[in-house]
Amino acid sequence: MSDRSNLERIRDELKEFVRLERTLAAVLAFTPVFLIAFDGWEIRDSISAYYDMDENQWFYFLLTVGAMLFIVNGVIKEQHSYNTTLGIFLAGVILFNQDDWTAIHNVFAFLFFGGNATVIFFSKTLGWVKAVFGAVIVVALGLFFFADWFTLFWLEWVSLGIVAVHYILNTAPRVPYVAPQRAG
């Protein structure tokens, strides 16, 4: 097999992997819908509150897939090593439930969501995309703090949606969007 055909095969395999990443990012964005559905359509106060639902394997499976998406992306794409850290933070959210390990759970949740906001803020993207993300975050935070019906669940869902869109934009062809990269 020639070097050229070998490179073409690797390129094709990477394209397939990127498609898988995009699909998993979309699953992450819709994880709250799956949790609600598997919990008898009950909307809890936070995504983390689903850890003790009757069919809790769905909570652990979906969020573990999300954590692994970040970790694998960070390992495979050296310039995205921050994703490995974010995946570890999400794993901490999963491992330390909100009731028995409240402080540790909250630290991991803050680091995961805050880390994602930081990545988006420092991304090399069009200003209007950052402005839209920022506006959505500000509105969601405002609703969380000032509207009784807008619980942490909705704020987390908005954040997961933004993370997924960021992830998809960063891997989409012909979209002028690039997440922050390590110098070197």
Side-chain angles (χ1 to χ4, degrees):
M1 186 178 275
S2 72
D3 285 343
R4 182 171 174 87
S5 61
N6 223 6
L7 287 173
E8 289 173 359
R9 181 185 56 77
I10 291 169
R11 186 191 71 228
D12 291 343
E13 288 174 1
L14 282 175
K15 282 182 183 179
E16 288 302 313
F17 180 72
V18 168
R19 281 189 208 130
L20 173 65
E21 282 186 310
R22 283 188 218 127
T23 301
L24 294 177
V27 168
L28 182 64
F30 288 101
T31 289
V33 174
F34 298 128
L35 294 175
I36 292 168
F38 290 122
D39 194 36
W41 298 103
E42 178 183 347
I43 298 175
R44 297 186 180 204
D45 289 337
S46 72
I47 292 172
S48 296
Y50 286 89
Y51 85 94
D52 66 353
M53 64 189 212
D54 288 340
E55 302 292 330
N56 67 355
Q57 68 269 19
W58 291 107
F59 168 84
Y60 291 106
F61 172 73
L62 291 167
L63 291 179
T64 299
V65 166
M68 291 310 299
L69 170 67
F70 281 94
I71 291 168
V72 170
N73 178 275
V75 169
I76 289 177
K77 298 177 181 177
E78 186 177 312
Q79 296 170 334
H80 293 193
S81 58
Y82 55 86
N83 273 340
T84 300
T85 304
L86 293 172
I88 291 168
F89 293 157
L90 183 53
V93 169
I94 300 163
L95 289 171
F96 300 100
N97 73 62
Q98 69 175 19
D99 293 333
D100 299 326
W101 304 91
T102 304
I104 295 170
H105 174 87
N106 289 343
V107 167
F108 277 113
F110 176 81
L111 291 171
F112 174 71
F113 287 112
N116 277 301
T118 302
V119 167
I120 291 168
F121 178 77
F122 286 108
S123 65
K124 297 175 185 176
T125 187
L126 298 173
W128 70 268
V129 173
K130 280 189 193 181
V132 168
F133 284 166
V136 169
I137 290 170
V138 166
V139 168
L141 283 169
L143 288 171
F144 173 69
F145 286 111
F146 300 112
D148 289 337
W149 59 269
F150 199 86
T151 63
L152 185 58
F153 172 85
W154 299 106
L155 183 61
E156 290 171 336
W157 193 350
V158 165
S159 182
L160 284 179
I162 289 172
V163 167
V165 169
H166 173 259
Y167 215 97
I168 291 166
L169 285 175
N170 193 44
T171 60
R174 291 181 241 110
V175 175
Y177 181 87
V178 179
Q181 298 178 359
R182 202 171 68 192

